[in-house]
Amino acid sequence: MHRVSLPRIGTAKAWRDAARGFLAAGVPPEHILWGDHAAAPDLFGGDSPPPGGGTVTVPRSFVAMAETAVWHSDPERFARLYAFLWRLKDAPHLMADRGDAELAKLRQMEKNVRRCQHKMKAFVRFREIGAPDAARRSFAAWFEPSHHTVEPTADFFVRRFSDMDWRILTPDISAIFEQGELSFHQGYARPDLPEDAGEALWITYFQNIFNPARLKVQAMQSEMPKKYWKNMPEAALIPQMIAQAPGRADAMAAAAPTLPPARMAPAQAQLASCASAWDGPAEDLPRAIRACTRCALHCHATQAVPGEGPADADLMVVGEQPGDLEDLSGRPFVGPAGQMFDSLAAEAGLDRDAAFVTNAVKHFKFVARGKRRIHQRPNTSEIHHCRWWLDAEIAQVRPRLILAMGATAAQSLTGNGTAILSRRGRIETGPNDLPVLITLHPSYLLRTPDAAERARATAQFRQDLTTAAGIIAQEAG
Amino acid sequence: MARQTLDQKLAILSDAAKYDASCASSGSTRRHSRDGKGLGSNEGSGICHAYTPDGRCISLLKILMTNFCIYDCSYCINRVSSNVPRARFSVDEAVRLTIEFYRRNYIEGLFLSSGVIRSPDATMSDMVQIARKLRHEENFRGYIHLKTIPDASPDLIAEAGRLADRLSINVELPTDSALAQYAPEKKPEHIRRAMANVRMARDANKERTFTGKRPPRFAPAGQSTQMIIGADGSNDATVLRQSTRLYASYRLKRVYYSAFSPIPDSSAKLPLIRPPLEREHRLYQADWLLRFYDFGLDEITSVTRDGNLDLDIDPKLAWALAHRGVFPLDVNRASRELLLRVPGFGIKTVDRILATRRHRTLRFEDLLRMGAAMKKARAFVTAGGWTPGSLTDSADLRARFAPPPEQLALF
């Protein structure tokens, strides 16, 4: 009778060496008494080392299984492994027979160890024991595994936490990693680890990531058995969380829908401003513009006024915004300024009906004073919101030239609405690199009180229209 | 308003993230920090570090960067019209939380989602900055999952894909019309275009260059999406048809089904009826059959009454009960394809059966040892020493599996 007692640290290698020796020497399983370090001395024999090793061939899958199953806490594991190894000697195909009772038992042990290893990877909780600003931070954990899993699992922690010092203390074996060196030691008694600020945050997280409307306590316990709870800081709260959950869920269901907060409107306006270009079908665009609620102007105006003209116009004329008449009729350029534009265009040889006319802002902005509506200049944010529609119109018409009349149109198309008088007559770059000819707005001609100044501005405007007509004719020719 | 502490922010922003079903951290490239120059590792298979009483695991620090949002999706707690308390993490706070939690072995990495603030691009760029800081300044080698904003610019998505292990974009609802109704600002075509872009970027990054060098991996753990179940009237057939299309079109790793859950401060647009959580479970089972068991979509849906999966029994059992002519199967002779159709047999069991029967005849006890759920399977198979007899065709077979009928209260 041979008796072998295997050491507490390095068990796997010791068993493998011993088993190889016995197998090579042809010692049958019933002649070996296997024991771990904890086994009581046997009455029938002292320790007898196995005969010197030899070469033995075994299926690779057995080695892999044995390397894991050997860490099981069952004292019979060594004997079972050797007994199966003995049978395997003559029938290597046994490894593929999942119906074999002995193999099934060993696979079960292997699975238990793997599960225990997995739980160790998951449920070890470190607490900081050094200074948080030290070059190499230092952590410690107390863990109570069901099997002898510290040794085979330690490398996982090395791969993961190698830039810090850590120690995992257990009643069985302890793993200590310092300055990049891993070592194993005997078991410890449960230490008092210092409080850790990170733990309070973790508990906050654990409490809040849980949805009380869907309680599944069994599902939780099957994956996180209660035996692990005492070493997990968050687990202390579980009973309380379960108890409060139904009440919280009922309260949610019972609460009446609330009114939206006051900041909703500005937030949604922000959304409207960052949306990308309108991409619906062409014939729907005017309707979409009419339904626009992107900025607050729609609340006061009668209607939005989409552009008008041939869908393939070479020239696009962009004014400022609809006026009183446009707002009522829903068509662009029908008021006094529009009529002025029409007559001057005819004089300059520009076919107004061949151009697509529209406005930089689609809703009329005004203040009501007595019985009159006083036109107000659109502000930057309104121009910005409406740019979306203008872009959609430009994308559809794809003109060769855009005539920007006045500061608002210039700002919308070029991003700059200043110093119009000095910029007029010049061609600048607009959206999609289209040329934009800057000119005055016809209402400027109408409102200028000084006759001489008005005549000069009118001449300039007519000149710009001629330039535009020239460019279009040239391009067409 | 008083400044919020980190603890208060964490409470608000993790609470806001609890409706996201995904928490997976598996399937990415393997890496470790054994060299001592970084923190973290990725083992291929994810680890669930804790479980909450709702039965779901915590593997990642699942938080929102901010729960301010300019969208008004009626099923969402963070919609602009909701009155929940709002908070926002700074980039440094999100990075610090991730690193400190990771060092204490609480988590596998970060799952970062966000409400849309200012503009989709501005939001996405802040999220990318958090990932960049984790990877490049902290040398973090753990898992990062970014929930991308569909409207964000392709450049930002591209950088996100290089930094993160997984990208996801939520389709939110099973049909375009439901999306138009409940999430008016979200455009189904934008969501699909974003998914297509991620797939193309992933495909492009798999090919080696001329010199044989592999380009940097793009979202190596793939992309996933989430669909809310029970908020609109779509039945399970519609849901599964949509997910089959998504798997096929964009090579998604996972489609997550999230039963609509009543949310505090909910919108008046939605009923506060809680759909059965079981429905979610049945959908996952059907999804599994489609992806790993070679079931066709119409095979699963043809045995349902109104397009909804049976809540009492699993979809594979429902199929088997409707096709009893195929059974009982002889486990010693049947093909792999047919064995996979036996209720109670999983892929592992079938592989074990095939490996073992090369050597000998299988008996009933062998199947038990191989991990087959014989309570279910016994009516559908024959093995050495076992025939189900008339059990396969018995009229009460379904009743043996379904939960017993409940006695209604008299008063």
Side-chain angles (χ1 to χ4, degrees):
Chain A
M1 186 62 87
H2 299 269
R3 189 185 134 74
V4 194
S5 50
L6 298 170
R8 186 195 283 245
I9 297 171
T11 320
K13 185 171 183 310
W15 178 83
R16 198 171 161 175
D17 289 346
R20 185 193 292 123
F22 285 128
L23 199 64
V27 182
E30 53 274 25
H31 289 175
I32 311 171
L33 275 175
W34 297 91
D36 57 16
H37 59 277
D42 192 80
L43 286 175
F44 303 104
D47 260 19
S48 53
T55 39
V56 182
T57 334
V58 276
R60 194 186 298 257
S61 55
F62 175 80
V63 179
M65 179 182 73
E67 295 272 280
T68 305
V70 76
W71 299 110
H72 200 278
S73 59
D74 184 352
E76 280 191 42
R77 61 195 185 277
F78 306 120
R80 280 182 183 279
L81 280 167
Y82 187 74
F84 188 71
L85 184 60
W86 184 257
R87 284 174 64 207
L88 206 56
K89 197 169 56 137
D90 304 317
H93 74 265
L94 270 183
M95 273 314 284
D97 184 348
R98 285 308 302 263
D100 185 87
E102 275 304 304
L103 179 66
K105 176 74 194 164
L106 287 174
R107 285 287 188 199
Q108 186 61 44
M109 289 172 123
E110 182 196 18
K111 193 174 163 187
N112 289 344
V113 173
R114 279 203 199 288
R115 184 175 159 89
C116 183
Q117 280 187 284
H118 186 80
K119 295 301 174 203
M120 177 172 171
K121 290 175 189 174
F123 299 152
V124 158
R125 297 281 181 263
F126 284 120
R127 276 185 171 186
E128 184 140 37
I129 53 171
D133 48 359
R136 219 177 145 77
R137 295 173 65 180
S138 195
F139 292 84
W142 169 250
F143 190 69
E144 295 168 47
S146 314
H147 300 286
H148 307 287
T149 30
V150 176
E151 230 182 303
T153 323
D155 197 53
F156 165 81
F157 291 92
V158 174
R159 291 194 296 273
R160 183 156 287 195
F161 302 111
S162 69
D163 72 340
M164 62 192 213
D165 288 344
W166 49 263
R167 49 191 61 204
I168 301 172
L169 310 174
T170 84
D172 181 35
I173 291 180
S174 297
I176 294 180
F177 185 77
E178 260 170 355
Q179 302 298 330
E181 292 298 324
L182 175 69
S183 56
F184 295 103
H185 304 264
Q186 297 294 311
Y188 275 81
R190 186 193 177 104
D192 272 332
L193 294 175
E195 294 283 311
D196 189 319
E199 213 161 271
L201 283 171
W202 169 241
I203 288 170
T204 301
Y205 176 70
F206 185 77
Q207 280 180 301
N208 285 289
I209 200 67
F210 150 64
N211 186 352
R214 34 184 308 158
L215 213 51
K216 278 186 173 177
V217 181
Q218 266 192 329
M220 168 189 71
Q221 277 195 22
S222 73
E223 295 298 335
M224 193 169 73
K226 275 191 167 165
K227 66 179 174 189
Y228 293 108
W229 288 15
K230 61 177 184 288
N231 294 320
M232 297 171 71
E234 65 272 28
L237 291 149
I238 292 175
Q240 187 194 343
M241 286 162 75
I242 295 175
Q244 290 171 353
R248 285 176 66 194
D250 289 347
M252 282 196 288
T258 52
L259 287 173
R263 51 171 199 80
M264 180 174 173
Q268 290 251 291
Q270 206 180 353
L271 166 66
S273 71
C274 62
S276 46
W278 190 81
D279 50 3
E283 58 276 17
D284 284 354
L285 181 58
R287 199 170 56 210
I289 292 177
R290 285 196 192 96
C292 177
T293 53
R294 289 165 62 82
C295 68
L297 290 184
H298 75 273
C299 302
H300 306 290
T302 310
Q303 57 189 314
V305 181
E308 255 185 28
D312 56 349
D314 288 333
L315 176 69
M316 184 178 230
V317 181
V318 181
E320 185 185 33
Q321 63 160 335
D324 188 58
L325 274 178
E326 285 89 355
D327 177 70
L328 298 175
S329 68
R331 298 187 54 207
F333 285 71
V334 292
Q339 285 159 14
M340 175 109 185
F341 171 77
D342 283 352
S343 64
L344 287 173
E347 283 176 36
L350 194 74
D351 184 4
R352 189 247 190 245
D353 291 333
F356 188 93
V357 291
T358 188
N359 286 302
V361 171
K362 309 298 183 197
H363 275 114
F364 182 32
K365 184 182 184 185
F366 61 92
V367 282
R369 193 168 297 158
K371 286 185 178 174
R372 288 188 306 145
R373 300 201 284 185
I374 308 293
H375 159 275
Q376 291 243 296
R377 192 169 161 172
N379 65 26
T380 309
S381 123
E382 286 146 3
I383 295 173
H384 191 69
H385 277 127
C386 236
R387 170 71 191 272
W388 203 62
W389 297 120
L390 186 58
D391 279 348
E393 288 178 326
I394 293 172
Q396 268 182 21
V397 176
R398 280 182 290 165
R400 290 161 194 261
L401 177 72
I402 301 177
L403 183 66
M405 301 197 301
T408 302
Q411 187 182 348
S412 181
L413 289 161
T414 66
N416 178 9
T418 57
I420 283 299
L421 287 177
S422 63
R423 282 163 72 196
R424 64 139 285 277
R426 271 196 252 155
I427 292 186
E428 297 185 9
T429 313
N432 302 330
D433 294 332
L434 282 169
V436 174
L437 177 61
I438 311 273
T439 187
L440 307 166
H441 198 276
S443 60
Y444 175 73
L445 315 178
L446 287 172
R447 286 193 207 126
T448 306
D450 181 52
E453 171 61 24
R454 186 164 63 222
R456 202 162 61 88
T458 309
Q460 286 176 339
F461 185 66
R462 196 181 290 123
Q463 186 193 333
D464 292 341
L465 292 182
T466 318
T467 313
I471 293 174
I472 296 298
Q474 191 186 354
E475 295 255 335
Chain B
M1 195 173 75
R3 253 180 99 82
Q4 290 166 321
T5 63
L6 184 60
D7 192 67
Q8 286 165 332
K9 287 186 190 181
L10 179 63
I12 293 172
L13 292 170
S14 53
D15 188 273
K18 71 187 173 200
Y19 306 98
D20 254 314
S22 159
C23 190
S25 53
S26 54
S28 192
T29 37
R30 281 167 186 271
R31 48 181 189 258
H32 58 78
S33 56
R34 198 191 285 277
D35 56 8
K37 292 192 186 99
L39 172 69
S41 64
N42 216 334
E43 305 270 316
S45 59
I47 299 171
C48 300
H49 284 268
Y51 292 81
T52 50
D54 53 13
R56 296 200 282 195
C57 80
I58 299 173
S59 101
L60 302 172
L61 170 62
K62 193 157 56 170
I63 46 169
L64 258 59
M65 185 176 76
T66 173
N67 65 341
F68 285 101
C69 189
I70 54 183
Y71 286 179
D72 197 34
C73 308
S74 36
Y75 51 80
C76 179
I77 174 79
N78 302 316
R79 68 188 188 286
V80 64
S81 61
S82 148
N83 285 295
V84 287
R86 309 276 173 164
R88 182 178 178 182
F89 280 132
S90 69
V91 171
D92 284 336
E93 283 169 336
V95 168
R96 204 181 103 209
L97 268 177
T98 311
I99 294 292
E100 293 304 311
F101 278 9
Y102 197 89
R103 281 198 186 282
R104 287 164 178 79
N105 201 38
Y106 299 154
I107 51 165
E108 287 280 285
L110 175 67
F111 175 116
L112 189 64
S113 179
S114 180
V116 179
I117 39 165
R118 288 178 291 150
S119 72
D121 271 357
T123 310
M124 192 69 217
S125 117
D126 284 359
M127 291 170 80
V128 166
Q129 211 186 325
I130 291 174
R132 193 189 303 134
K133 194 155 187 188
L134 275 172
R135 286 284 191 243
H136 295 163
E137 283 177 32
E138 303 285 340
N139 290 314
F140 179 64
R141 289 168 199 171
Y143 195 91
I144 299 180
H145 178 156
L146 293 181
K147 175 135 285 171
T148 48
I149 316 281
D151 290 344
S153 91
D155 293 347
L156 285 169
I157 308 267
E159 189 176 0
R162 287 191 296 271
L163 294 166
D165 291 284
R166 175 173 284 187
L167 297 182
S168 60
I169 302 151
N170 284 357
V171 296
E172 312 290 9
L173 292 160
T175 60
D176 285 6
S177 57
L179 195 67
Q181 190 183 351
Y182 295 117
E185 292 92 359
K186 292 201 172 174
K187 298 273 171 288
E189 59 273 19
H190 290 173
I191 295 171
R192 287 193 283 263
R193 212 178 302 146
M195 287 184 174
N197 286 339
V198 172
R199 185 194 150 185
M200 283 191 296
R202 271 171 58 74
D203 288 354
N205 281 262
K206 274 181 195 142
E207 284 166 23
R208 285 170 195 273
T209 61
F210 254 150
T211 51
K213 226 177 108 185
R214 206 185 273 282
R217 300 289 290 270
F218 186 91
Q223 61 168 331
S224 61
T225 192
Q226 174 170 319
M227 217 187 292
I228 292 164
I229 306 303
D232 65 329
S234 307
N235 64 13
D236 292 341
T238 314
V239 170
L240 290 170
R241 195 170 312 121
Q242 168 75 319
S243 41
T244 320
R245 199 156 40 211
L246 291 170
Y247 281 124
S249 310
Y250 312 116
R251 307 278 147 79
L252 294 188
K253 262 279 168 19
R254 286 290 293 276
V255 174
Y256 289 93
Y257 306 100
S258 173
F260 169 69
S261 93
I263 47 178
D265 199 45
S266 65
S267 154
K269 264 191 182 177
L270 282 169
L272 275 172
I273 306 163
R274 179 167 120 185
L277 290 182
E278 197 64 22
R279 186 172 172 201
E280 206 179 87
H281 180 54
R282 296 290 179 227
L283 279 168
Y284 279 119
Q285 288 178 321
D287 186 282
W288 224 259
L289 292 182
L290 290 169
R291 286 189 294 146
F292 302 115
Y293 287 79
D294 272 338
F295 271 77
L297 178 62
D298 39 341
E299 283 183 294
I300 293 175
T301 54
S302 66
V303 297
T304 60
R305 252 167 296 154
D306 47 0
N308 281 320
L309 299 170
D310 196 330
L311 291 183
D312 291 339
I313 55 173
D314 68 78
K316 195 172 169 185
L317 184 58
W319 182 88
L321 289 173
H323 294 83
R324 298 196 207 187
V326 180
F327 302 102
L329 289 174
D330 182 351
V331 290
N332 286 303
R333 311 174 75 92
S335 68
R336 183 185 152 82
E337 290 69 40
L338 280 175
L339 284 174
L340 284 174
R341 303 250 158 172
V342 177
F345 283 9
I347 289 179
K348 270 188 184 169
T349 310
V350 170
D351 286 343
R352 285 170 189 170
I353 291 173
L354 295 177
T356 306
R357 79 183 188 190
R358 260 181 258 149
H359 307 292
R360 61 190 184 82
T361 310
L362 291 173
R363 301 182 60 80
F364 190 85
E365 311 81 75
D366 292 324
L367 295 172
L368 275 178
R369 280 195 286 265
M370 285 174 191
M374 289 313 288
K375 237 181 176 173
K376 240 182 220 176
R378 59 206 283 264
F380 301 98
V381 293
T382 64
W386 171 256
T387 60
S390 60
L391 188 58
T392 315
D393 296 317
S394 61
D396 67 336
L397 189 54
R398 183 180 186 280
R400 283 166 184 261
F401 301 114
E406 265 177 60
Q407 173 85 49
L408 290 175
L410 282 172
F411 302 104

